[in-house]
Amino acid sequence: MAADVYSNSFFHEITNYPLLTAEEELNLFQVLQTHTDGEEFNDTQETLITSNLRLVVSVAKKYHSENSSIDLGDLVDEGIIGLMNAITKFDPDQGFRFSTFATEYIKGSILNYLQNNANAFHVSSRAQNEIRQIKKFQNEYSKLHDRMPTIHEISSALNMKPEKVNLLLDASKGTDSLDRSVSKDNDENTTLGDMTSDSEKSSPIYATEQKMLPDATQDILRAVLTERELEIITLLHGLNGEDRLTPKEAGEICGVTSERVRQIESIAFRKLQLDHKAREILSDLL
């Protein structure tokens, strides 16, 4: 699992960005009103984002305290997406601070994420990784054979028991729970979550990803990015040695829209740029 976003350099780096005064804020939004693109426009947007990341963290932490099973980094990502939307909607002539306006967009984005993924939060992060592996295999297999693979074909390719593949696919649709007891060697107390132990490390997909990146590079990426960010970057840029996927293809595997894939990719790049070690390897990787 990727390290918690607040136990690594990301949290330290965002505290280095000063909060904006009301006058600075107004000047930046005046730049956005007079420029629609270009380097100055992009730099201004970046300043507004980085100076408000602590606000995003604060809001995300409040929701995480009530939903501790959810990856805090994913909530931060959704909050940043809300922040970026707020920047495009804010009118400085209305007379109030941007932070007041942005907070509602940040909350709205996080709440929408929580509501749209209510079922998924009952699935452990380990099981979610295995579900993504299954979907990735289904996507690749269907391209090669013009049909979806059978349960037994998935089972054989990913070194999973057929019954486990079935249960994971049901859980991905919200029709089953990883907390439901399943039979395993006559142990009635075993849950599907218990069954998702080491198969991730024995699957061909996991092994390929481990071989393609040096250990030091993997450690840096996992320290900076959430699991979802790393998965999307890997799929989009072929870090596992496979062909690069389009945002639509990556979204189908990760269960999000192509637009959300692009947004998460943008956030991941921003995090990598903030970390000096990650920044050094970023140009070599992508």
Side-chain angles (χ1 to χ4, degrees):
M1 179 183 295
D4 190 306
V5 71
Y6 299 110
S7 64
N8 58 50
S9 60
F10 176 72
F11 179 70
H12 173 73
E13 290 294 336
I14 67 174
T15 61
N16 292 329
Y17 291 96
L19 300 177
L20 298 174
T21 66
E23 182 178 359
E24 290 171 333
E25 196 175 87
L26 178 61
N27 290 337
L28 289 171
F29 276 104
Q30 287 175 342
V31 171
L32 294 185
Q33 288 177 331
T34 56
H35 296 74
T36 57
D37 54 27
E39 184 175 350
E40 186 173 8
F41 176 85
N42 293 333
D43 289 346
T44 300
Q45 277 200 324
E46 188 67 18
T47 299
L48 286 166
I49 291 171
T50 53
S51 64
N52 284 283
L53 286 176
R54 277 179 279 183
L55 172 62
V56 173
V57 168
S58 176
V59 175
K61 279 186 173 181
K62 291 179 182 177
Y63 285 101
H64 184 257
S65 66
E66 301 169 1
N67 303 272
S68 58
S69 63
I70 305 169
D71 191 321
L72 179 56
D74 288 343
L75 295 186
V76 172
D77 284 355
E78 297 302 320
I80 293 174
I81 291 170
L83 173 64
M84 292 189 294
N85 289 335
I87 290 173
T88 66
K89 304 290 185 182
F90 182 64
D91 181 0
D93 295 330
Q94 291 183 343
F96 49 81
R97 293 296 301 270
F98 173 67
S99 59
T100 303
F101 180 83
T103 297
E104 297 308 311
Y105 276 80
I106 295 167
K107 287 181 178 179
S109 184
I110 292 175
L111 283 171
N112 186 59
Y113 174 72
L114 292 174
Q115 293 166 0
N116 289 341
N117 294 275
N119 288 323
F121 300 142
H122 299 294
V123 181
S124 69
S125 60
R126 185 170 56 200
Q128 289 181 39
N129 286 337
E130 293 185 318
I131 289 170
R132 284 196 290 267
Q133 288 180 3
I134 291 172
K135 290 185 176 181
K136 182 176 182 179
F137 177 74
Q138 287 178 319
N139 183 63
E140 293 171 346
Y141 188 96
S142 64
K143 287 181 179 178
L144 290 173
H145 302 282
D146 292 323
R147 67 174 178 84
M148 294 297 286
T150 66
I151 295 298
H152 286 284
E153 286 168 335
I154 297 172
S155 171
S156 176
L158 301 184
N159 194 25
M160 294 181 188
K161 292 183 177 180
E163 60 268 26
K164 179 179 173 182
V165 173
N166 264 320
L167 289 169
L168 284 167
L169 287 173
D170 285 342
S172 72
K173 301 171 185 175
T175 56
D176 205 347
S177 170
L178 272 288
D179 296 323
R180 180 170 69 78
S181 294
V182 294
S183 174
K184 182 183 181 185
D185 299 330
N186 297 320
D187 181 3
E188 295 182 356
N189 294 322
T190 298
T191 67
L192 177 57
D194 297 327
M195 293 174 64
T196 61
S197 54
D198 296 323
S199 63
E200 175 183 303
K201 294 187 178 180
S202 61
S203 79
I205 293 176
Y206 183 89
T208 300
E209 291 177 354
Q210 294 298 302
K211 290 177 182 177
M212 292 309 301
L213 294 175
D215 290 342
T217 300
Q218 291 180 45
D219 290 343
I220 291 172
L221 293 178
R222 292 183 182 279
V224 175
L225 303 178
T226 66
E227 288 185 2
R228 185 173 63 160
E229 291 163 351
L230 182 55
E231 176 80 2
I232 285 174
I233 291 296
T234 297
L235 294 173
L236 291 179
H237 298 277
L239 301 189
N240 54 1
E242 299 179 8
D243 291 339
R244 299 185 180 201
L245 299 186
T246 66
K248 183 177 185 296
E249 291 168 335
E252 289 172 352
I253 292 171
C254 297
V256 295
T257 65
S258 58
E259 177 60 26
R260 187 50 52 99
V261 166
R262 293 187 186 93
Q263 291 170 330
I264 294 171
E265 178 192 28
S266 173
I267 292 169
F269 282 167
R270 181 173 286 108
K271 288 183 178 180
L272 293 173
Q273 289 288 351
L274 288 175
D275 185 275
H276 72 280
K277 290 183 179 179
R279 191 163 54 242
E280 291 173 0
I281 65 171
L282 185 59
S283 59
D284 295 329
L285 285 177
L286 307 178

